Amino acid sequence: MSDAIKHECGIAMIRLRKHPQYYIDKYGTNAFAAKRMYVLMQKQINRGQDGAGVANVKIDTKPGQRYISRYRSIEASAVNFIFDKINAKYKKAKKIGGKKVLEDADWLKKNVAFTGEVWLGHLRYGTHGENSIETCHPFLKQNNWRSRNLVMAGNFNMTNNEELFDKLVQLGQHPKEKTDTVTVMEKVGHFLDEENQRIFDKYKHQYSNEQITQLIENELDVIRILKRSCRDFDGGYAMAGMIGNGSSFVVRDPSGIRPAFYYADDEIVVVASEKPAIKSAFNIDFKEIKEIQPGHAIVINKDGSYTESQIMPAREKKSCSFERIYFSRGTDPDIYHERKNLGKALIPQILKAIDFDLKNTVFSYIPNTAETAFLGMIEGLEDYLSAKRREVFLEGKPHVGDLDDLLNFRPRVEKLVSKDVKLRTFITNDTDRDAMVANVYDTTYEVIKPGIDTLVVIDDSIVRGTTLEKSILTTLDKLNPKRIIIVSSAPQIRFPDCYGIDMSRMKEFIAFRAAIELLRDRKTENQLDRIYDSCIENPLASENYVKDVYSSFSDEEISNKIAEIVTTAEINAEVKVIFQTVDNLHKCIPKHIGDWYFTGDYPTTGGTRVVNRAFVNYMEGKTVRAY
């Protein structure tokens, strides 16, 4: 994607279902879980480069022994930094006890951190707020009773955080922050405390407190805790947690917005945000990896037994389609084919835009993630040419031009755009940022016929249009083409996301800017005031009033205006922009129909309220997030 945006975080959980000695004896390593957690996190590094964290819980330690360990980091290579520190623990153990102790799981568990049975990892993409150690997951809620300790990490954003905060206050709490991470953890922590108290009250007249503690740890009903905790949540989430007694869970939102997958056998249970990470870490077939169903949770009890249980009534599944278009790794076979299909689906629009003149057209892509859609686009062109040859040679239809040319012709493919510089996220000054953007890309010279060739360049999506306007078009125009056609494998992004992606301000969307300019061109911008009044008068409405911004225009009209906006005075070539249609998006990605950023059809009422609030912020000149 040429427009850098921050997006969903990544989670990883491992639960060893056998005694740690089993893994030393079978696999010849005392770091079976640590090594695989490292792979799980490295294979999901695309999901978070602002920080990382790992936590570990040991089960059934004796009083006086530390049983929860946690490292977090915001270093440039946070995952490596954390696991270097964990590895140092093992090296120190060898110096203290010699090589033999590294083969003794009980000694390691007693004396070395990060040798427990339950692991939780997190990769952070901060969509708002400062980037500090304190903002990195996992978060820890401590208590002197083991079964009241809670460690949590998640891939989520809540749209009703103010409401959740107020509910905590009504419960008698005094939360230290209003962030959704804190409110979610405190809510789960509250019902964890109540569950502890419920079991204590059940046995308080029958056993000693010490005996009751063990009963609580064995009987803790995690499903009951999650059902009570999650019923007020509105947002997209995949939340993972570990309890001090060794129980753990991952719960997914009722619409299945955020992804979560798991694999289980008699040795382990593993959960991650992406399937390829699980495959790489445990060398299993993709077909063995299952998806946690919307509104369900994987709950792993202290004894290692597990279940996938319904926590909340599932709604229509609206899994984020952006995961498939861009965010998740394309090594997932399903995602790979979906991205190729997105490229193929654009062929009719492309052929029309180039007047079917393939001879004088060169095809390329914006590196690096658009490459798969590009391969699909080229396959689609080959299919088109095969069909034309079939019509001429087998069906006898007339053809203008040399038949040998038709028989031997191949689409012209070149790597025209190279990503030369990585734009650092800490550059926030507009002037500095613009200067960096202008130098992000470079091009390949002397492969284009000046004034004759059309360039067709595909990107995953176009969000703000900043890089397109300030870098890509300028770079491509240096080749002196007749025409530049920028193709987006995703539809026009028209509305904010509030479930994990950093897309919350209306004025940043190039499609929104185009619609506003069209309204002004037609002298109908008073429509904006009507929409604003509706948003103000009905702040809790479940209707997306902002759809009316676009209602007067066709997709093509908005695309043409976008092309006009991004074409600066210095550009000599004709510029055209083509977007994927929503219909084709759903045909290519039929099982992930979450499309609210394209259509405005939000899966929760909180999402609709956010988009209306975002529009109010735009009209009032506020640049704050809408949730």
Side-chain angles (χ1 to χ4, degrees):
M1 186 185 296
S2 54
D3 290 321
I5 61 173
K6 294 184 177 182
H7 52 90
E8 296 88 346
C9 301
I11 57 172
M13 176 180 282
I14 294 175
R15 168 61 199 268
L16 302 180
R17 302 185 69 194
K18 295 184 180 294
H19 189 281
Q21 190 65 47
Y22 170 89
Y23 305 91
I24 294 177
D25 295 341
K26 180 175 179 179
Y27 296 100
T29 175
N30 53 27
F32 173 84
K35 290 178 178 179
R36 282 151 182 81
M37 177 57 77
Y38 175 74
V39 174
L40 283 175
M41 295 182 70
Q42 283 289 13
K43 291 297 182 180
Q44 297 184 104
I45 203 73
N46 55 297
R47 304 192 70 84
Q49 297 169 25
D50 289 338
V54 175
N56 180 246
V57 170
K58 301 174 182 178
I59 299 175
D60 284 335
T61 56
K62 295 185 181 300
Q65 295 179 3
R66 185 177 178 183
Y67 56 95
I68 298 179
S69 304
R70 177 180 62 157
Y71 280 149
R72 296 179 293 175
S73 173
I74 55 170
E75 297 290 324
S77 300
V79 174
N80 286 335
F81 179 82
I82 287 170
F83 280 90
D84 283 346
K85 291 183 70 175
I86 292 173
N87 190 45
K89 298 284 187 184
Y90 291 91
K91 290 181 179 179
K92 185 177 180 181
K94 183 179 179 180
K95 287 183 179 180
I96 294 172
K99 185 177 180 180
K100 190 173 182 179
V101 302
L102 298 181
E103 299 174 358
D104 186 341
D106 290 332
W107 187 93
L108 288 169
K109 190 171 174 180
K110 181 179 179 181
N111 295 282
V112 182
F114 293 96
T115 55
E117 296 89 339
V118 196
W119 291 73
L120 178 58
H122 185 265
L123 296 134
R124 180 176 187 265
Y125 249 138
T127 53
H128 70 287
E130 64 177 0
N131 191 35
S132 65
I133 286 288
E134 287 71 27
T135 58
C136 283
H137 303 203
F139 286 81
L140 174 60
K141 187 176 187 291
Q142 294 180 291
N143 194 286
N144 214 30
W145 275 262
R146 191 159 56 185
S147 57
R148 290 176 183 256
N149 283 271
L150 179 64
V151 185
M152 285 194 69
N155 168 17
F156 64 90
N157 269 339
M158 297 298 169
T159 66
N160 63 334
N161 196 49
E162 291 283 344
E163 179 185 332
L164 294 175
F165 180 86
D166 291 342
K167 285 185 180 292
L168 290 176
V169 174
Q170 292 166 14
L171 289 170
Q173 293 191 21
H174 192 88
K176 61 182 179 180
E177 294 180 38
K178 279 193 173 183
T179 61
D180 52 9
T181 306
V182 171
T183 53
V184 165
M185 183 164 193
E186 292 299 334
K187 191 126 187 303
V188 176
H190 170 79
F191 289 109
L192 173 61
D193 288 341
E194 284 204 349
E195 177 66 8
N196 273 264
Q197 190 64 46
R198 181 184 70 84
I199 301 173
F200 179 85
D201 292 342
K202 176 181 175 182
Y203 292 117
K204 65 182 178 181
H205 299 303
Q206 304 174 50
Y207 301 96
S208 68
N209 284 0
E210 189 175 352
Q211 291 172 317
I212 294 175
T213 293
Q214 193 62 45
L215 289 167
I216 290 173
E217 290 197 7
N218 293 334
E219 293 187 17
L220 210 61
D221 189 341
V222 179
I223 294 174
R224 173 185 167 90
I225 295 168
L226 294 175
K227 284 183 176 180
R228 302 181 76 197
S229 303
C230 298
R231 58 191 175 195
D232 298 320
F233 294 163
D234 187 297
Y237 53 87
M239 295 185 296
M242 303 186 297
I243 300 171
N245 72 323
S247 299
S248 55
F249 62 86
V250 177
V251 59
R252 194 176 182 202
D253 66 83
S255 299
I257 296 171
R258 298 273 68 84
F261 302 91
Y262 74 98
Y263 166 77
D265 58 27
D266 61 344
E267 294 183 358
I268 54 100
V269 179
V270 56
V271 183
S273 296
E274 297 190 27
K275 289 192 291 183
I278 299 176
K279 176 176 175 57
S280 295
F282 293 91
N283 193 28
I284 57 175
D285 292 335
F286 276 105
K287 63 183 179 182
E288 298 180 82
I289 303 170
K290 300 178 181 179
E291 182 178 11
I292 299 177
Q293 294 305 303
H296 285 61
I298 289 290
V299 174
I300 312 163
N301 300 310
K302 179 185 176 182
D303 64 4
S305 61
Y306 75 94
T307 181
E308 181 179 4
S309 300
Q310 185 168 352
I311 303 301
M312 297 154 288
R315 295 192 284 264
E316 181 184 8
K317 188 179 179 185
K318 290 288 186 74
S319 300
C320 175
S321 57
F322 245 122
E323 283 281 353
R324 322 297 287 187
I325 297 167
Y326 172 70
F327 296 141
S328 293
R329 280 180 177 262
T331 49
D332 182 313
D334 293 334
I335 292 175
Y336 179 77
H337 290 299
E338 288 166 1
R339 290 179 182 175
K340 288 186 73 175
N341 288 336
L342 287 170
K344 286 183 181 180
L346 289 159
I347 292 303
Q349 292 184 75
I350 292 171
L351 290 172
K352 181 180 178 182
I354 65 173
D355 301 320
F356 294 84
D357 182 11
L358 289 172
K359 184 177 181 180
N360 296 309
T361 302
V362 177
F363 297 89
S364 193
Y365 63 94
I366 306 295
N368 289 316
T369 54
E371 185 175 4
T372 307
F374 170 75
L375 293 175
M377 180 177 71
I378 299 304
E379 279 191 15
L381 287 172
E382 294 282 9
D383 291 344
Y384 165 77
L385 289 169
S386 294
K388 291 297 292 182
R389 294 181 187 116
R390 188 180 302 111
E391 289 177 357
V392 173
F393 293 107
L394 297 182
E395 299 176 19
K397 290 188 177 180
H399 171 69
V400 177
D402 193 290
L403 291 179
D404 283 339
D405 288 344
L406 176 63
L407 187 63
N408 298 316
F409 183 81
R410 293 290 180 272
R412 294 173 61 196
V413 173
E414 302 288 353
K415 186 172 183 180
L416 295 178
V417 182
S418 300
K419 200 163 188 178
D420 209 23
V421 178
K422 181 180 178 183
L423 182 66
R424 295 295 300 273
T425 56
F426 61 71
I427 297 175
T428 55
N429 178 276
D430 288 343
T431 303
D432 291 341
R433 191 178 193 282
D434 288 351
M436 287 294 292
V437 168
N439 292 283
V440 167
Y441 294 97
D442 203 350
T443 189
T444 305
Y445 292 92
E446 298 187 9
V447 294
I448 300 301
K449 294 178 288 186
I452 297 174
D453 283 342
T454 293
L455 309 186
V456 175
V457 183
I458 191 169
D459 197 359
D460 296 296
S461 62
I462 302 169
V463 186
R464 304 179 185 94
T466 307
T467 310
L468 187 61
E469 177 183 359
K470 299 182 182 298
S471 180
I472 293 172
L473 287 174
T474 302
T475 300
L476 292 173
D477 195 57
K478 293 175 184 177
L479 301 174
N480 297 316
K482 174 184 176 182
R483 189 165 38 183
I484 302 172
I485 301 175
I486 302 296
V487 182
S488 170
S489 67
Q492 297 166 2
I493 297 171
R494 300 180 171 190
F495 303 94
D497 182 78
C498 51
Y499 304 121
I501 309 172
D502 184 22
M503 299 193 306
S504 61
R505 300 171 183 88
M506 296 296 303
K507 72 172 186 178
E508 294 182 350
F509 304 136
I510 187 71
F512 181 77
R513 289 167 54 199
I516 296 298
E517 290 203 14
L518 285 169
L519 287 169
R520 290 170 179 160
D521 290 346
R522 298 184 182 184
K523 304 292 190 292
T524 56
E525 60 264 46
N526 60 338
Q527 186 171 336
L528 300 176
D529 295 323
R530 291 196 296 271
I531 297 170
Y532 174 77
D533 290 341
S534 296
C535 294
I536 290 293
E537 292 166 6
N538 306 285
L540 300 180
S542 57
E543 179 181 351
N544 180 353
Y545 298 115
V546 187
K547 286 184 177 183
D548 283 346
V549 172
Y550 304 96
S551 61
S552 302
F553 313 114
S554 67
D555 292 353
E556 188 173 4
E557 285 176 313
I558 292 175
S559 295
N560 291 340
K561 178 57 72 170
I562 289 172
E564 184 181 317
I565 291 171
V566 299
T567 305
T568 61
E570 293 78 20
I571 302 296
N572 295 311
E574 175 192 347
V575 175
K576 187 173 182 63
V577 180
I578 294 173
F579 287 88
Q580 188 73 262
T581 67
V582 173
D583 285 344
N584 279 341
L585 173 77
H586 290 161
K587 289 175 184 175
C588 297
I589 313 178
K591 295 181 180 179
H592 297 76
I593 61 173
D595 62 2
W596 50 92
Y597 15 71
F598 307 128
T599 64
D601 296 331
Y602 289 83
T604 73
T605 54
T608 304
R609 292 169 187 173
V610 164
V611 66
N612 290 337
R613 197 179 308 132
F615 183 78
V616 169
N617 289 342
Y618 165 78
M619 292 294 287
E620 295 178 354
K622 297 177 181 177
T623 58
V624 298
R625 297 166 77 248
Y627 61 98

